[in-house]
Amino acid sequence: MSADRVAWSAEVLLGGVVMLGASVQWLTGMGFALVAVPALILLLGPGDGVALANCASGAICLIGLMGGWANVRLRAMIPLVCAAACTVPLGSWVTNRLPEPVLLVGSGALVTAAAVLVLSGLRVQALDGLGGALTAGAAGGFMNAAAGLGGPPISLYAVNAGWTIREFVPNALFYGVVVNIFSVLSNGLPHLGSGSWIAATTGLSAGALIGRALAGRLPDRFARLLVLLLALAGGLSALTKGLLGL
């Protein structure tokens, strides 16, 4: 197979991954990173994969938030985003210094653990109240900058706070916008060719359209289950590749 055909195939796959992630992000408020990060890391490497996830997730969160800003609980979100701002630099430091196989293992393990925890509906007493908000925000900021995975700690916090899916989505989108801005400033932009940027942008736009068309038509429980099962499969794939590379 020629180098041009290999590059074209990789760009099509990249666009498909971003499209899938954007679709589920629109549906559930947090699915992009869980679904897309393992595949992006496998395609682009940990550094550029996480950086692209930060850019794409932040963009789709911003688009989604435009219609739901009035439902954001700013008082509840301030401790979460302030704590995230403090831990994003540490996450970037970890990403820039660990070997690729170690990062693959860490990212895969984080995705897998996050998917299992959210699937279980586990309630964690340490995530209650102001202390819980600070803990979840700090964990989300670190995980977002290190592995593109800021959503799971916020999801666990929301479960403990008793938020419904309608309450969770706009607040998760707001958190996603803020923490991904911090992460992009800390990690920088991914080093991609023009073809890859076009593929990612096209996938992001198509995913937003698909997610918007499906919003309200799929039961919330089914949509979240699908996201988490995809995340579990992706996390195990990245974990396996990292372990094989050690």
Side-chain angles (χ1 to χ4, degrees):
M1 185 179 293
S2 68
D4 288 342
R5 181 166 294 185
V6 170
W8 182 83
S9 299
E11 288 165 0
V12 171
L13 184 57
L14 175 63
V17 168
V18 173
M19 181 178 70
L20 179 61
S23 299
V24 297
Q25 177 83 24
W26 190 277
L27 286 171
T28 67
M30 60 161 280
F32 184 91
L34 283 172
V35 172
V37 162
L40 291 178
I41 288 175
L42 292 174
L43 284 170
L44 304 174
D48 285 338
V50 169
L52 180 57
N54 294 154
C55 294
S57 183
I60 198 67
C61 285
L62 181 60
I63 294 169
L65 187 62
M66 289 178 182
W69 172 255
N71 297 317
V72 174
R73 298 182 176 185
L74 282 177
R75 183 174 295 180
M77 297 308 295
I78 286 174
L80 290 161
V81 297
C82 288
C86 295
T87 55
V88 161
L90 179 58
S92 296
W93 183 88
V94 168
T95 296
N96 292 327
R97 281 163 178 79
L98 292 181
E100 182 170 321
V102 175
L103 286 170
L104 280 170
V105 170
S107 299
L110 283 174
V111 173
T112 302
V116 170
L117 284 173
V118 178
L119 271 169
S120 70
L122 180 68
R123 291 182 177 271
V124 183
Q125 190 172 3
L127 294 181
D128 288 336
L130 177 60
L134 293 173
T135 300
F142 173 81
M143 290 173 62
N144 199 71
L149 298 167
I154 307 308
S155 180
L156 290 174
Y157 172 77
V159 168
N160 280 268
W163 290 5
T164 66
I165 187 67
R166 294 183 182 275
E167 293 172 315
F168 172 72
V169 169
N171 289 284
L173 291 173
F174 173 77
Y175 180 84
V177 170
V178 176
V179 78
N180 280 297
I181 288 174
F182 290 147
S183 296
V184 170
L185 291 174
S186 186
N187 286 335
L189 296 173
H191 302 91
L192 304 179
S194 58
S196 295
W197 277 115
I198 292 171
T201 303
T202 302
L204 190 67
S205 302
L209 292 174
I210 293 170
R212 185 172 184 176
L214 292 176
R217 298 186 182 184
L218 291 179
D220 291 341
R221 183 175 296 180
F222 175 79
R224 294 190 71 124
L225 179 61
L226 177 62
V227 169
L228 293 169
L229 290 176
L230 288 170
L232 190 58
L236 290 172
S237 297
L239 177 60
T240 301
K241 182 175 181 181
L243 289 172
L244 292 174
L246 289 176

